[in-house]
């Protein structure tokens, strides 16, 4: 019986690719239009309408996306106003220039706040026991237990 078998290195199986499951996203991505940034804005929180949030975002420059402009999202459009809404979130768009200017504004505001905290912290500095305000962290792996070396 063993003499009827072919050696294993001469026999090969077909390579079958395994199907990989990727769960769907909760919010679909619209087909991007050049020059626009997209964002989902909350219209309802815990089942309650949140008109203050929507009004604030509209004043920032976000414009609701119409379902007719994105046929791939047409089935998700709100019948009342034609906007793309899913689960209390409305898809909006803004020009990329305006979005970048907005991001720069908030980055500058955050940096100003961090500088203020640093100045307040360093105000208590004493030459006998200096304070350090380093914002850099490092990760190192030792040669001991759990380092993966043998």
């Amino acid at each position: 019986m063993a003499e009827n078998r072919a050696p294993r290195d001469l026999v090969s199986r077909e390579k079958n690719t395994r199907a990989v499951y990727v769960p769907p996203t909760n919010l679909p991505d619209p087909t991007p239009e050049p020059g626009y940034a997209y964002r989902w804005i909350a219209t309802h929180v815990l089942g309650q309408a949140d008109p203050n949030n929507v009004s604030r975002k509209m004043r920032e420059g976000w414009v609701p996306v119409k379902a007719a402009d994105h046929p791939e999202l047409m089935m998700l459009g709100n019948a009342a106003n034609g906007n793309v809404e899913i689960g209390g979130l409305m898809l909006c768009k803004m020009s990329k220039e305006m979005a970048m200017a907005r991001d720069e504004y908030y980055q500058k505001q955050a940096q100003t706040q961090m500088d203020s905290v640093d100045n307040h912290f360093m105000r208590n500095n004493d030459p006998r026991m200096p304070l350090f305000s380093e914002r850099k962290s490092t990760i190192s792996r030792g040669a001991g237990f759990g380092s993966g070396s043998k």
Side-chain angles (χ1 to χ4, degrees), residues 28-70:
D29 292 329
T31 305
E33 290 180 47
Y36 285 101
Y38 291 90
R39 182 174 181 177
W40 291 94
I41 294 176
T43 57
H44 291 76
V45 177
L46 297 174
Q48 300 293 323
D50 190 3
N52 292 336
N53 183 51
V54 175
S55 174
R56 186 173 64 246
K57 299 303 180 188
M58 298 295 170
R59 286 191 310 268
E60 283 183 3
W62 292 101
V63 178
V65 172
K66 298 292 182 188
D69 295 340
H70 290 273

Side-chain angles (χ1 to χ4, degrees), residues 24-147:
T25 60
N26 290 337
L27 297 171
D29 292 329
T31 305
E33 290 180 47
Y36 285 101
Y38 291 90
R39 182 174 181 177
W40 291 94
I41 294 176
T43 57
H44 291 76
V45 177
L46 297 174
Q48 300 293 323
D50 190 3
N52 292 336
N53 183 51
V54 175
S55 174
R56 186 173 64 246
K57 299 303 180 188
M58 298 295 170
R59 286 191 310 268
E60 283 183 3
W62 292 101
V63 178
V65 172
K66 298 292 182 188
D69 295 340
H70 290 273
E72 73 276 11
L73 304 175
M74 186 65 94
M75 65 181 164
L76 306 171
N78 186 353
N81 53 20
N83 297 335
V84 177
E85 281 192 61
I86 300 174
L89 297 172
M90 179 172 55
L91 183 63
C92 293
K93 67 181 179 179
M94 176 190 285
S95 68
K96 283 191 178 180
E97 295 84 23
M98 184 68 139
M100 287 175 31
R102 180 183 167 278
D103 291 345
E104 288 173 11
Y105 169 79
Y106 285 116
Q107 282 287 353
K108 184 178 175 183
Q109 210 173 24
Q111 186 60 46
T112 303
Q113 290 174 355
M114 287 305 297
D115 292 343
S116 175
V117 168
D118 287 342
N119 290 338
H120 184 71
F121 175 68
M122 294 304 283
R123 186 182 325 162
N124 299 325
N125 194 14
D126 188 347
R128 294 173 292 172
M129 192 167 140
L131 298 173
F132 299 101
S133 65
E134 292 185 25
R135 298 219 181 278
K136 190 169 114 180
S137 62
T138 59
I139 298 173
S140 61
R141 292 179 60 125
F145 179 76
S147 66

